[in-house]
Amino acid sequence: MPYQSPLYAVEKAAKTDKKDIMRFYKAQRYAASYIGQDQCYFIKGNNEIIACVMVSAGQENGKFWLLHALVTEKAYRGKGLASLLLRFIMAESKVELQQVAPGNTVDKNEPSLPRYSKIICFADKVLQPLYLSNKFINYNAVEDIAQLPNEFQQRLSRYRKKQSNLCCYLYNA
């Protein structure tokens, strides 16, 4: 069931959506790629993707998930779509983390939701209000970065060489 606001609904991508997602990123001039254990979420307007985000475990598949490629089409920016995508991902984390009460049954045919216990993202400092207002915290101390999987530490280091204002943010479910 899609997560909804009065005007928009978030959908979890299926394999059949992959071409449309990559076309969306290309149209936005954003170089997005799948990096391992990926989940993708999007919002459509007029039957076209207008906002999209990826969450990836990466190659090391540890307790941290990397939120990346959060992009909203220019004409739809400022309408809360990025926050809607973030809240949807956080809601999935909470559903997955809830314990099933004794006596309740779980439908084995129901697809399991990914478990995003710790979500990190690397974003420009100008986006700090977006992340802090959506329950992320600054995660930039040397000891914080040292806790990230090696793959994500290296990725952050490479990105910071090109973008000096890049910050790391953490959402802890």
Side-chain angles (χ1 to χ4, degrees):
M1 176 175 157
Y3 191 75
Q4 296 183 350
S5 79
L7 300 174
Y8 302 102
V10 175
E11 297 179 47
K12 184 176 177 183
K15 286 184 181 183
T16 56
D17 296 314
K18 189 172 182 177
K19 284 183 183 177
D20 289 338
I21 290 166
M22 296 316 288
R23 196 172 334 175
F24 165 77
Y25 284 121
K26 186 175 181 179
Q28 302 307 311
R29 298 174 191 228
Y30 188 88
S33 61
Y34 293 92
I35 64 173
Q37 298 286 327
D38 305 288
Q39 302 293 325
C40 193
Y41 305 89
F42 60 86
I43 298 171
K44 283 188 171 183
N46 297 326
N47 267 347
E48 297 289 328
I49 296 174
I50 58 172
C52 199
V53 65
M54 294 181 181
V55 182
S56 304
Q59 304 305 314
E60 295 180 30
N61 199 14
K63 62 183 176 181
F64 286 93
W65 289 79
L66 179 65
L67 182 132
H68 60 109
L70 176 57
V71 177
T72 301
E73 188 177 310
K74 199 171 201 167
Y76 291 89
R77 291 181 186 161
K79 298 183 184 304
L81 299 181
S83 291
L84 184 61
L85 285 165
L86 293 172
R87 286 192 305 270
F88 179 85
I89 292 167
M90 289 182 251
E92 280 208 338
S93 297
K94 290 176 184 171
V95 169
E96 178 65 24
L97 292 172
Q98 289 175 351
Q99 298 286 330
V100 176
N104 289 352
T105 58
V106 176
D107 182 355
K108 302 238 186 248
N109 296 321
E110 183 73 24
S112 62
L113 297 172
R115 184 177 193 181
Y116 309 128
S117 58
K118 293 183 183 221
I119 303 170
I120 57 163
C121 72
F122 311 137
D124 193 288
K125 194 172 189 166
V126 298
L127 294 172
Q128 182 171 310
L130 168 70
Y131 290 103
L132 294 182
S133 69
N134 282 289
K135 301 182 181 180
F136 281 76
I137 60 168
N138 281 309
Y139 202 69
N140 290 299
V142 173
E143 56 272 12
D144 295 336
I145 303 303
Q147 293 180 43
L148 299 177
N150 210 21
E151 171 188 10
F152 295 154
Q153 288 180 38
Q154 291 172 2
R155 187 177 288 263
L156 178 60
S157 179
R158 279 193 319 269
Y159 292 169
R160 280 185 168 165
K161 287 178 183 173
K162 295 178 184 174
Q163 283 183 272
S164 59
N165 285 336
L166 204 63
C167 295
C168 182
Y169 301 98
L170 168 75
Y171 170 76
N172 199 351

